[in-house]
Amino acid sequence: METVERRGTASADGFTGVSRSLWVEEPATRLRMPDPVRTAAVRAVIITAVTLIQAMVAFLSTLAGSWLAFPMVLSSVASTVVATWGVLDVWVTRQVWNQRYGVVSMPSSTARQLRRERRRARRAARNEERDGVRIRGRDQALKETQGSGRLSGA
């Protein structure tokens, strides 16, 4: 028996013969988190999930009157402290990463104004230097014509 491979899409009336990709790549709407921040976030989510499970077990074992209730309550309190540290770790790691490697795309108005003033000062210095060269050049040409005793060649 022979196997026939068809490319395309199936329609209500049969095979259309037009090939379509199964996977369409779409651009991300948000940038990917940096690796250290993502690692800290995953760690915080796992710690928080374990804490919630411990709290639920402590609550249910308390309702059942089990001997496990007291140790679970103590471990839930400790896990809550650790989970809080985990969430703060994500925040601190994100701040540190932004401070070291992040580029702020919108400068503050103060920085923008200082940059504008420096640009004006550089432009003024350049124009002044250019005008000074032109004036000196005219003065030099005037001295040369005065040195010959004639103002014009006529």
Side-chain angles (χ1 to χ4, degrees):
M1 184 174 225
E2 193 174 309
T3 310
V4 177
E5 185 180 317
R6 291 197 239 181
R7 295 187 186 268
T9 59
S11 65
D13 59 346
F15 191 74
T16 61
V18 178
S19 70
R20 250 187 351 177
S21 176
L22 181 63
W23 186 266
V24 178
E25 190 81 22
E26 293 182 4
T29 55
R30 289 180 59 177
L31 293 175
R32 183 176 166 172
M33 275 194 292
D35 286 340
V37 178
R38 193 170 58 247
T39 304
V42 168
R43 188 171 47 238
V45 165
I46 291 171
I47 291 170
T48 305
V50 168
T51 301
L52 288 173
I53 291 170
Q54 280 183 335
M56 187 178 63
V57 169
F59 177 72
L60 292 175
S61 59
T62 302
L63 287 180
S66 172
W67 62 270
L68 194 60
F70 185 68
M72 287 306 292
V73 167
L74 289 179
S75 68
S76 293
V77 170
S79 290
T80 303
V81 172
V82 173
T84 305
W85 168 83
V87 172
L88 284 175
D89 181 44
V90 173
W91 182 69
V92 168
T93 306
R94 184 174 160 271
Q95 294 297 325
V96 167
W97 195 92
N98 281 338
Q99 205 169 29
R100 287 185 185 165
Y101 308 108
V103 177
V104 179
S105 60
M106 291 185 292
S108 67
S109 59
T110 307
R112 193 178 295 129
Q113 184 153 358
L114 289 173
R115 206 169 45 237
R116 199 175 291 143
E117 288 173 5
R118 283 193 302 254
R119 210 177 301 132
R120 278 192 201 124
R122 279 196 307 263
R123 196 175 299 134
R126 237 188 348 253
N127 289 341
E128 188 177 307
E129 182 181 328
R130 197 177 306 137
D131 290 345
V133 168
R134 287 181 190 158
I135 290 172
R136 273 187 255 121
R138 284 190 217 137
D139 290 346
Q140 187 70 24
L142 187 60
K143 286 180 184 174
E144 287 173 5
T145 56
Q146 286 175 351
S148 64
R150 299 183 305 175
L151 288 177
S152 65

